[in-house]
Amino acid sequence: MSQVLITGASKGLGLEFVTQYLARGDHVIATARDLENASKLHALNKKYLDKLKLFSLDVSKDQSRKEFFLSVSKKCKAIDIFINNAGIRSGGDKDSYTLGEMYSEDIEQVFRVNSIAPVLLSELFIDLIEKGKNPRIINITSGLASLSKKTFVFRYSYCASKTALNMFSKLMALELKEKNIIVIPLHPGHVRTDLGGIGAPLSPQESIQGMIKVIDSLSMDDTGRYLDWQRNELPW
Ligand SMILES: NC(=O)c1ccc[n+]([C@@H]2O[C@H](COP(=O)([O-])OP(=O)(O)OC[C@H]3O[C@@H](n4cnc5c(N)ncnc54)[C@H](OP(=O)(O)O)[C@@H]3O)[C@@H](O)[C@H]2O)c1
């Protein structure tokens, strides 16, 4: 049995992580921005009772991260698997901005959620993570982060924010090696969620089954590797 923490669990991949970890008997801390209206998480809470603890968290806000940390640390002494999953594809009304239409609030919000929050949250929780069994920090990245595979123009902010997340993951992996904490950026594949779109080839169930298998298999030899849901190594 592991203690797992998952951000951005109201829907999509986060919700499916929660569902599958609970189904196999793990304990889960799950977060949602609008917790009151996160009806699927409340339904799981009725079924799994104290195995699932729910918290409100906007990962982009300093105060929200601090309050979340204080609330969790009152109830939990160690975290084995810390999954930075919350993410956005755009900070504005349009799905993708390219040259001629870029604006700073889009870029800043995408970076706040996708790149900066995973580092600051992991930093807050590091003592609890260090006390976990085979502790792992999993930063949900994207194949679109790869610089060497970039051949088409699409979502500047999103792609760059995930490339930054990959670098943060690599640096954290190097620094946390001495604490025996594994850190990887993990790509879920292209999945049918609000973010991935209805035309994506993978279901959330398939992607999460694959990612849980990868997370289970990780050892210190894997720290800092850029992997996907099938354990393929991706080019930076
Ligand atoms: N789907 C894909 O094909 C794909 C591919 C590569 C990588 N990814 C990555 O996978 C992760 C999950 O994405 P998804 O496909 O499941 O997307 P999704 O269905 O849109 O879910 C995103 C989740 O992130 C939460 N979130 C957004 N902004 C937040 C904030 N400021 N604070 C806290 N939570 C916030 C959302 O909560 P609300 O309900 O409050 O908005 C939601 O729970 C993301 O990091 C994404 O970049 C997805």
Side-chain angles (χ1 to χ4, degrees), residues 7-14 31-34 57-60 84-88 109 113-114 140-143 158 162 187-196 200:
T7 65
S10 61
K11 61 180 183 175
L13 294 174
T31 79
R33 257 192 305 191
D34 181 5
L57 170 66
D58 183 333
V59 298
S60 68
N84 285 301
N85 167 77
I88 51 173
Q109 183 59 9
V113 175
N114 293 358
I140 302 298
T141 182
S142 169
Y158 182 77
K162 293 292 188 180
H187 167 48
H190 187 197
V191 192
R192 288 188 295 278
T193 62
D194 285 352
L195 189 149

Side-chain angles (χ1 to χ4, degrees), residues 20-205:
Q20 291 196 21
Y21 275 122
L22 286 171
R24 72 174 203 179
D26 293 315
H27 285 227
V28 177
I29 290 165
T31 79
R33 257 192 305 191
D34 181 5
L35 188 56
E36 219 170 286
N37 290 310
S39 53
K40 292 186 175 147
L41 284 178
H42 290 294
L44 285 170
N45 213 7
K46 276 199 183 119
K47 185 167 170 197
Y48 291 99
L49 305 171
D50 59 351
K51 285 199 159 180
L52 174 61
K53 291 187 176 61
L54 301 179
F55 295 89
S56 158
L57 170 66
D58 183 333
V59 298
S60 68
K61 301 212 161 89
D62 283 345
Q63 191 57 27
S64 179
R65 287 193 303 267
K66 279 180 198 146
E67 284 169 14
F68 168 58
F69 169 68
L70 288 175
S71 309
V72 171
S73 48
K74 281 181 198 145
K75 296 190 176 175
C76 173
K77 298 289 157 242
I79 294 167
D80 308 315
I81 302 172
F82 191 97
I83 305 179
N84 285 301
N85 167 77
I88 51 173
R89 65 183 174 191
S90 161
D93 297 334
K94 274 186 71 174
D95 173 41
S96 175
Y97 296 89
T98 49
L99 289 185
E101 52 188 10
M102 309 278 292
Y103 69 106
S104 59
E105 182 49 30
D106 163 57
I107 304 174
E108 285 164 15
Q109 183 59 9
V110 173
F111 270 74
R112 269 194 289 270
V113 175
N114 293 358
S115 330
I116 299 170
V119 188
L120 296 183
L121 263 178
S122 306
E123 184 185 42
L124 270 177
F125 277 85
I126 216 69
D127 292 345
L128 285 185
I129 298 170
E130 193 181 0
K131 290 181 188 132
K133 295 184 299 290
N134 187 24
R136 284 147 284 176
I137 297 174
I138 310 298
N139 292 327
I140 302 298
T141 182
S142 169
L144 293 171
S146 172
L147 289 170
S148 52
K149 286 190 82 178
K150 191 58 61 193
T151 53
F152 57 95
V153 174
F154 181 61
R155 292 187 191 153
Y156 271 56
S157 317
Y158 182 77
C159 294
S161 72
K162 293 292 188 180
T163 309
L165 177 63
N166 282 1
M167 178 58 91
F168 281 135
S169 305
K170 191 83 193 176
L171 292 165
M172 286 164 65
L174 288 168
E175 187 163 359
L176 294 175
K177 218 171 194 169
E178 64 179 32
K179 293 186 190 284
N180 284 315
I181 299 173
I182 297 164
V183 186
I184 63 157
L186 180 59
H187 167 48
H190 187 197
V191 192
R192 288 188 295 278
T193 62
D194 285 352
L195 189 149
I198 46 170
L202 282 175
S203 68
Q205 290 77 8

